[in-house]
Amino acid sequence: MALSATQEAIRETVREFAVEEIRPTLRECDREERFPEEVWNGLADLDLTGLTTPGSYGGFDADRVTYAVVNEEVAYGSLSVATALSVHCLATSCIAEFGDGDLREAWLPELVEGRPVGAFALSEPDAGSNPAEMSTTATRDGDKWVLDGTKQWITNGARAGVVVVFAKAEEADAEPPTRGGGSVTQFLVPADAEGLSVGDPEEKLGLRASDTVSLTFDGVRVPDRHRLTEPGRGLAAALSILNGGRVGIAAQAVGLGQAALDEALEYAAEREQFDRPIGEFQSIRHTLAEMHTQVEAGRLLT
Ligand SMILES: Cc1cc2nc3c(=O)[nH]c(=O)nc-3n(C[C@H](O)[C@H](O)[C@H](O)COP(=O)(O)OP(=O)(O)OC[C@H]3O[C@@H](n4cnc5c(N)ncnc54)[C@H](O)[C@@H]3O)c2cc1C
């Protein structure tokens, strides 16, 4: 598959940024479990924090292939940064796709600029692969909704200024919450809303520079105008936005694979045994060729 000249130029620009600006932060941020905010500002300068936002709100409005290319190249620099970017894009996509004109006007131009950062809060301790079993509730109170529950593994959760959160719309006297995803809806919640608290960072084996926390909603009051979908439409909305995002996750895996291959190639050329670079031994060349084939196949599948 051939990229257009524009897509090639975007790939080159993002690769250069990944190598020169993202990579140098990688080890230290990973060790310290710290997100490189200076890199985020650089992504914003490249307009990438508006990657999936329509041009009418200042966004990049990338097509699917460009979206994949950008995710691949950012992940080439750091998977943690790519994860943060793709989740920010989930949040902006929800607002762009489901928000009304006022909400879009109020939030998208700033999200495109990279601040505030967006988060997407669907998963819960007991509802991961099956979000229909979520227990976070939204109870109607006049022209407001009251959110109660805990979301888990939320990327950008501590950094975010705005959270798109999914909850089951409940009647005031419903106990326990209804089963299944039939009443799920989604809300835009500013991160400084009263009653919203951020849990301790998850201690992860990988993606350590990515901010992953729980978010607890304890009587968080949200105006009805912050509701993004009708009750019952939230789960389908989440899954449709996630489907777009999955392409990005696949592309990130390709970028990571390419980075590993390039490191291996460099080492095979530099490391010498028996008076020559190990890359001259056939068994090493077979391994590198196999790696190249797998990465290329992954790229084409994406
Ligand atoms: C680093 C990180 C960042 C994340 N960021 C976010 C975020 O920003 N927002 C958010 O909402 N969530 C986020 N998540 C949560 C993520 O979406 C969930 O981890 C995911 O949905 C899987 O849920 P689980 O971990 O509870 O696994 P489980 O649902 O408990 O699944 C455990 C295993 O069983 C398998 N399994 C489950 N059901 C089936 C089935 N029907 N058939 C076959 N196999 C099955 C799964 O594939 C998995 O291997 C994040 C997770 C991680 C690790």
Side-chain angles (χ1 to χ4, degrees):
M1 195 189 87
L3 297 181
S4 69
T6 309
Q7 288 163 341
E8 275 297 354
I10 291 169
R11 181 191 283 286
E12 261 177 48
T13 304
V14 183
R15 168 67 67 96
E16 195 179 312
F17 182 78
V19 171
E20 290 179 8
E21 307 292 335
I22 305 182
R23 247 332 150 72
T25 68
L26 187 61
R27 275 176 199 256
E28 194 178 308
C29 286
D30 191 72
R31 196 164 39 236
E32 295 175 359
E33 297 181 292
R34 174 175 64 79
F35 187 82
E37 294 296 343
E38 65 281 15
V39 163
W40 187 259
N41 296 338
L43 290 175
D45 290 343
L46 289 175
D47 293 338
L48 298 181
T49 41
L51 192 59
T52 54
T53 307
S56 47
Y57 298 99
F60 197 99
D61 207 7
D63 60 79
R64 283 284 161 86
V65 173
T66 305
Y67 177 73
V69 164
V70 169
N71 270 280
E72 181 185 331
E73 295 305 333
V74 174
Y76 187 87
S78 158
L79 191 58
S80 291
V81 173
T83 301
L85 180 63
S86 59
V87 171
H88 175 79
C89 288
L90 292 181
T92 56
S93 297
C94 285
I95 298 167
E97 180 122 2
F98 304 108
D100 65 16
D102 289 346
L103 272 189
R104 292 185 203 171
E105 282 294 343
W107 291 93
L108 287 177
E110 290 187 353
L111 283 157
V112 162
E113 296 292 326
R115 308 283 172 184
V117 175
F120 177 92
L122 177 68
S123 304
E124 297 186 0
D126 294 322
S129 302
N130 185 10
E133 287 304 312
M134 71 175 65
S135 53
T136 297
T137 55
T139 311
R140 184 112 201 195
D141 180 14
D143 66 349
K144 291 207 164 42
W145 293 83
V146 183
L147 303 187
D148 287 286
T150 296
K151 297 292 178 179
Q152 188 142 321
W153 310 295
I154 305 307
T155 301
N156 295 338
R159 305 173 59 233
V162 61
V163 183
V164 172
V165 59
F166 296 81
K168 286 184 173 173
E170 294 292 332
E171 295 304 324
D173 53 0
E175 184 72 36
T178 43
R179 289 183 66 82
S183 65
V184 173
T185 186
Q186 57 173 334
F187 299 89
L188 182 157
V189 181
D192 60 1
E194 202 174 323
L196 171 52
S197 56
V198 176
D200 290 335
E202 295 288 347
E203 281 181 35
K204 305 190 292 303
L205 286 173
L207 283 176
R208 287 165 53 83
S210 178
D211 157 31
T212 317
V213 292
S214 61
L215 294 178
T216 298
F217 298 79
D218 183 8
V220 174
R221 298 175 75 79
V222 184
D224 187 51
R225 63 191 158 76
H226 279 197
R227 182 169 48 77
L228 294 171
T229 36
E230 291 299 324
R233 297 285 169 90
L235 200 55
L239 297 178
S240 79
I241 295 295
L242 281 170
N243 275 344
R246 287 184 220 285
V247 176
I249 305 295
Q252 289 171 14
V254 173
L256 199 60
Q258 185 68 56
L261 171 59
D262 289 352
E263 291 277 331
L265 280 169
E266 207 177 304
Y267 185 70
E270 157 204 312
R271 173 71 176 166
E272 292 191 1
Q273 288 290 282
F274 302 98
D275 296 324
R276 41 185 168 147
I278 58 170
E280 288 184 14
F281 299 122
Q282 195 176 38
S283 66
I284 300 281
R285 295 170 89 97
H286 277 156
T287 305
L288 293 170
E290 178 65 19
M291 285 170 76
H292 175 80
T293 307
Q294 296 279 0
V295 169
E296 204 51 47
R299 184 172 290 122
L300 291 172
L301 276 170
T302 301

